[in-house]
Amino acid sequence: MIYCFFKLLPIQKKITMISRQSNKKTVDFMLLEKGIRKKSPNYKVVILCKELKGGAKANLRNKVSYAFHCVRQMYHIATSKVVVLDSYCILISILKHKKSLKVIQMWHSMGTMKKFGYQILDKEEGSSSKIANSMKMHKNYTYVFASGEAYASLLEEGFNCGMDKIRIFSLPRVDLLTSKTYKEEIKSKIEEKYPEIKSKKNIVYCPTFRKNEKDFNSKLKEIIEKIDKDKYNLILKLHPLSKVEIEENSIINDKEFSTMDMLFVADYVISDYSCIIYEAAILEIPLYFYAFDLQKYLDTRGLTINYKEELPGVVSETIEPIIEAIESKEYNKEELQAFRKKYIQNIEDTTDKIVDFIFDII
């Protein structure tokens, strides 16, 4: 009923962006906003970013706060020409919109390894079919952006949408990854904060988030113990949701810079199922995969790619082969480049291309 009232209001020259990924503007949204204002200053840009802490299990205060935020969303959705998302938006999916509204799902990940959405319904880490159907999960998208053709088929499955809705566009943040000016600026800030990174090779460890972190905690301690600190700086970039606390002076446990920014000082990257590997691949940083719980992850979550065959670098369930591979100083860069080109096809002027597309469909 509230939304019906808002739909009576006239459509404005306005583009709205909505995210549940954080409580502040994301890098992709900031770049897109700048590009829109540059191309058409007379267009209004509204960015609505708010997390629902706890999701369905959130406390009453958070639910009430998010409810008021939803009212703001309804007003701006009803009066916008285009809505850009980077995550699931409840109101976009469940409400009936004006026929003129264009909705772009610009998913927050450059690529994927973990199954999501409709790929993991009724599984341990997925939603139930009942909830997905009642919430019309991932419905009402006009277009879905994918960084490459290989990623497109995975998004089609995850969103349960047709391939006719998918368009090939890399995320705006690729412009930062390929900018020498931005790289030098961020690198200088990191070196100012951690001057020791200039004296040794830097290994950035960026694991994915696990709901049960008991096993991960012991494996993390093992990595810290076995990497030679006389040769390497170990830079730890935990997932923002991780509750693991590490008190270890021999490593850099950074919480100030983003994982993407920390790639600019990385000589090697160790990960597992984190999609940061796609950003690292663009920068051609040697990748290594420490998957100590691979079978468990396959059973509970599932992966979209052939993990052991497709990834560009050593894949191991123990840390020793990865350390040996780093020590050997041998790495197949051609394999890394082929992996990047398969999943991320366009890495030039990504923001401008998205902005041009938005104004083409208005």
Side-chain angles (χ1 to χ4, degrees), residues 59-75:
N59 60 41
L60 181 60
R61 181 179 179 181
N62 286 343
K63 286 181 178 177
V64 170
S65 174
Y66 199 80
F68 280 106
H69 179 71
C70 284
V71 174
R72 287 187 66 205
Q73 285 188 14
M74 282 190 277
Y75 167 73

Side-chain angles (χ1 to χ4, degrees), residues 87-136:
S87 45
Y88 170 61
C89 176
I90 298 170
L91 298 178
I92 286 294
S93 291
I94 67 174
L95 296 176
K96 187 175 181 179
H97 307 288
K98 294 177 180 177
K99 291 183 180 180
S100 61
L101 180 68
K102 303 295 191 300
V103 178
I104 296 172
Q105 175 57 267
M106 187 179 72
W107 197 241
H108 56 271
S109 174
M110 201 89 68
T112 187
M113 284 194 288
K114 296 171 282 192
K115 289 185 177 181
F116 72 102
Y118 285 90
Q119 293 175 318
I120 55 169
L121 287 185
D122 301 318
K123 291 191 177 181
E124 186 176 328
E125 294 203 17
S127 302
S128 72
S129 299
K130 185 177 180 180
I131 291 176
N133 291 330
S134 64
M135 298 298 287
K136 299 180 181 178

Side-chain angles (χ1 to χ4, degrees), residues 148-209:
E149 296 290 347
Y151 189 24
S153 60
L154 304 178
L155 289 177
E156 179 194 23
E157 293 175 11
F159 293 141
N160 193 30
C161 69
M163 283 294 288
D164 58 310
K165 292 187 176 184
I166 296 181
R167 300 292 184 272
I168 304 302
F169 288 102
S170 297
L171 294 178
R173 63 177 177 263
V174 173
D175 288 338
L176 296 184
L177 286 167
T178 55
S179 167
K180 291 182 179 179
T181 303
Y182 182 78
K183 176 181 178 179
E184 291 307 315
E185 178 186 335
I186 296 300
K187 188 176 180 182
S188 177
K189 289 180 180 179
I190 296 173
E191 288 175 347
E192 184 178 351
K193 172 75 175 178
Y194 306 111
E196 61 269 34
I197 68 171
K198 293 186 285 186
S199 60
K200 304 175 197 173
K201 294 287 187 180
N202 299 304
I203 300 173
V204 174
Y205 178 43
C206 40
T208 196
F209 172 67

Side-chain angles (χ1 to χ4, degrees), residues 11 17 37 55 80 155 171 183-184 232 238 279 287 313:
I11 297 172
M17 305 182 205
R37 294 192 190 284
S80 292
L155 289 177
L171 294 178
K183 176 181 178 179
E184 291 307 315
Y232 307 100
L238 293 174
E279 280 89 338
L287 288 166

